[in-house]
Amino acid sequence: MSYVFGLHAVTALLERSPERLRALYVQRGRRDQRMGALVEAARARGIRVEAADKRWLDRRAEGSHQGVLADCHDLALSDEKDLEARWPTMTRPVLFLVLDGISDPRNLGACLRSANAAGVDAVLLPRRRSAPLNAAALKTAAGGAEDLLLVEVANLARRLEWLKDQGIWVVGTAADAVDSWTQADVAGNCAIVLGGEGGGMRALTRKTCDQLVRLPMRGSVQSLNVSVAAGILLFEAVRQRGL
């Protein structure tokens, strides 16, 4: 069991995956229109709604809960067999996002939000080197995680080789890359790979990429937050596809 909190995240969960909800807890005394609509929608779906003190909610939420918290089943990740089964039915050109070792759940959630907005077909996450898809990640994703195909991968380099065998161009990000991000070839079937905070992609992941690109830093900072970099590259793919 896990918690999802925040008006936007809980509303998205209720609309897209109501079967995951066990109960909805609403801060005692909240009577605004948006909260009322959320409570009404939950009750219409047969979901139990209970009033709770703010301090009770504070203890269970890993951030600003905005007066609402849902007790729900965990969001299930797909496996590699499911990815392979779905592959023939995906609309071309496909766009994948591969996250190699994101450690902060909020960064993971922000990446998933950008992936949803850009129409990503699947997000690949390594089984052993990824932040948990917990309440903080889902809150940051703001409802974007529920619509995505999230695939847990046992061996990332091996799965990238499989993608390449299917005709997918694999583009990774590296500070020392020769090509700029505007030179990324992301108009066709492609997978955009980003490494974890600080260390970036692992050496084997980097070696597997077809192309490496960089985001030039003009100021005093040496790098962008991984979720910002993900958004830039994903929407470069959107631009190149004329969408």
Side-chain angles (χ1 to χ4, degrees):
M1 305 309 301
S2 63
Y3 293 124
V4 174
F5 56 88
L7 280 166
H8 200 112
V10 173
T11 299
L13 179 62
L14 182 62
E15 291 175 349
R16 299 167 192 169
S17 304
E19 71 283 354
R20 289 182 53 210
L21 272 77
R22 285 168 47 90
L24 193 67
Y25 296 93
V26 177
Q27 184 175 323
R28 189 171 279 107
R30 283 289 301 264
R31 294 186 177 88
D32 55 90
Q33 184 175 3
R34 190 175 178 189
M35 187 69 76
L38 179 60
V39 168
E40 184 178 343
R43 285 175 172 157
R45 289 170 171 80
I47 297 166
R48 177 167 52 93
V49 179
E50 294 189 10
D53 293 332
K54 182 178 182 299
R55 273 190 275 184
W56 188 92
L57 295 170
D58 290 342
R59 288 196 301 270
R60 287 157 177 79
E62 301 173 37
S64 174
H65 51 71
Q66 299 174 302
V68 62
L69 181 145
D71 180 7
C72 59
H73 298 283
D74 289 335
L75 179 62
L77 299 179
S78 296
D79 60 22
E80 295 174 78
K81 288 184 179 179
D82 188 30
L83 174 64
E84 292 181 11
R86 295 194 193 196
W87 167 249
T89 66
M90 290 182 178
T91 302
R92 273 50 170 179
V94 298
L95 176 59
F96 287 0
L97 177 64
V98 182
L99 301 175
D100 184 20
I102 304 299
S103 60
D104 187 323
R106 290 173 178 82
N107 284 341
L108 173 60
C111 287
L112 297 182
R113 183 172 185 172
S114 294
N116 186 300
V120 163
D121 295 283
V123 179
L124 274 57
L125 303 167
R127 182 176 299 165
R128 292 189 176 87
R129 296 186 73 250
S130 180
L133 195 62
N134 60 14
L138 295 174
K139 171 70 161 51
T140 308
E146 282 74 18
D147 288 342
L148 290 169
L149 174 60
L150 305 175
V151 183
E152 189 176 58
V153 175
N155 186 308
L156 190 56
R158 187 181 303 151
R159 183 50 54 179
L160 289 177
E161 291 289 359
W162 181 86
L163 294 181
K164 291 164 69 172
D165 289 343
Q166 312 312 309
I168 294 180
W169 183 254
V170 179
V171 179
T173 54
D176 60 347
V178 174
D179 290 346
S180 172
W181 64 278
T182 55
Q183 297 171 283
D185 184 4
V186 287
N189 295 325
C190 72
I192 295 171
V193 187
L194 292 106
E197 305 89 340
M201 291 184 296
R202 287 174 290 176
L204 189 55
T205 304
R206 174 180 172 132
K207 184 179 178 181
T208 310
C209 293
D210 294 305
Q211 182 184 17
L212 296 175
V213 299
R214 59 186 171 83
L215 294 163
M217 300 292 104
R218 301 305 186 199
S220 58
V221 299
Q222 298 301 306
S223 64
L224 292 174
N225 180 279
V226 62
S227 64
V228 175
I232 290 171
L233 288 166
L234 288 172
F235 277 90
E236 174 62 15
V238 172
R239 186 193 69 82
Q240 289 189 22
R241 295 162 189 227
L243 301 176

